[in-house]
Amino acid sequence: MAALTSAKRSLRKEIKYIIKNISIEKRKEQSVIVFEKLRHLKQYQNSKRISLYLSTNDEIDTVPILKHIFDMGKEAFVPQYQGKTMEMVKLKSMEDYETLPLTKWNIKQPSTTESHENALETGGLDLIILPGVAFTMSGKRLGHGMGYYDKYLKRCFEKEKIRPYLVAVGFKEQIQEDIPVNEHDVPVDIVLTG
């Protein structure tokens, strides 16, 4: 277990360094490619209720995806972190997104003092777009180490009759031959990269 934890930690460090060295232009280019791939994905097209993370500069830009979800008349749910748990709560519009406060990690997040529709309490999710540090093309995913998504997905699978389709997105530099994982790490259905 300790060896696994240490292997994950060193891979996170290595990938962080690699991402820092991707130029802003390249990040933008890859974000556009990922968005195009996602738009053409049948599972995305058929989904009504979609959850996605709100990106930082070191991640694939999800703002165009969020805008597209609203343009297509779909419903968007975004992470709301409280302590050790994460919920997916509904955003109503791009204006709603613009006014979100920033967390200590510099991520936009719906305020926990306001009430927002919770995805798991109102019909679940059809598709979840996940961030990560590293991925394999076969669907292994290395998260940021807090386990928010893995714990959320487990709750999701217990509650939902139909399992949501899991799409991980990342820069091509985040793809690895293999990744150290354990039984708590939930694999994704598809990995889209730039």
Side-chain angles (χ1 to χ4, degrees):
M1 193 65 189
L4 181 75
T5 307
S6 142
K8 284 182 170 188
R9 194 176 304 124
S10 81
L11 183 57
R12 280 190 190 100
K13 208 182 246 166
E14 186 187 319
I15 300 289
K16 211 175 199 156
Y17 177 76
I18 291 169
I19 292 172
K20 285 265 176 278
N21 289 302
I22 305 172
S23 71
I24 290 171
E25 292 71 40
K26 286 273 180 262
R27 289 179 202 199
K28 280 190 181 137
E29 267 169 40
Q30 289 201 46
S31 290
V32 169
I33 293 168
V34 167
F35 173 57
E36 284 306 313
K37 286 181 179 177
L38 179 70
R39 258 181 21 151
H40 292 96
L41 199 64
K42 191 177 245 50
Q43 290 86 346
Y44 172 77
Q45 292 168 358
N46 297 336
S47 292
K48 288 273 171 271
R49 295 166 62 91
I50 299 173
S51 132
L52 80 162
Y53 68 97
L54 298 176
S55 52
T56 64
N57 296 337
D58 294 338
E59 296 171 313
I60 289 291
D61 182 7
T62 58
V63 175
I65 299 169
L66 182 63
K67 189 177 174 330
H68 190 258
I69 289 171
F70 290 128
D71 289 348
M72 299 309 288
K74 299 173 186 289
E75 296 178 75
F77 294 84
V78 299
Q80 181 184 58
Y81 301 95
Q82 254 184 316
K84 294 243 180 286
T85 62
M86 173 180 81
E87 297 297 340
M88 289 295 174
V89 299
K90 188 172 181 176
L91 279 188
K92 292 178 190 67
S93 63
M94 281 312 283
E95 291 70 48
D96 204 3
Y97 164 75
E98 299 297 344
T99 59
L100 291 178
L102 283 173
T103 65
K104 64 178 182 211
W105 298 297
N106 222 13
I107 300 168
K108 281 182 174 261
Q109 171 182 305
S111 158
T112 49
T113 55
E114 287 170 39
S115 94
H116 288 268
E117 181 185 317
N118 183 322
L120 287 188
E121 289 161 13
T122 58
L125 294 161
D126 301 322
L127 183 135
I128 299 177
I129 298 168
L130 299 92
V133 176
F135 314 95
T136 65
M137 287 321 278
S138 65
K140 288 183 183 176
R141 171 185 165 273
L142 177 69
H144 291 278
M146 303 298 282
Y148 283 116
Y149 273 91
D150 293 314
K151 286 182 212 136
Y152 184 79
L153 293 172
K154 291 232 167 38
R155 282 174 42 223
C156 221
F157 300 161
E158 282 160 18
K159 228 175 152 115
E160 301 302 311
K161 285 174 201 52
I162 299 167
R163 183 191 150 125
Y165 191 74
L166 306 180
V167 181
V169 296
F171 300 113
K172 61 179 189 267
E173 290 81 356
Q174 290 174 273
I175 296 296
Q176 301 290 300
E177 279 296 301
D178 199 15
I179 288 175
V181 290
N182 63 23
E183 70 281 1
H184 301 296
D185 297 319
V186 179
V188 298
D189 295 304
I190 191 171
V191 178
L192 301 181
T193 72

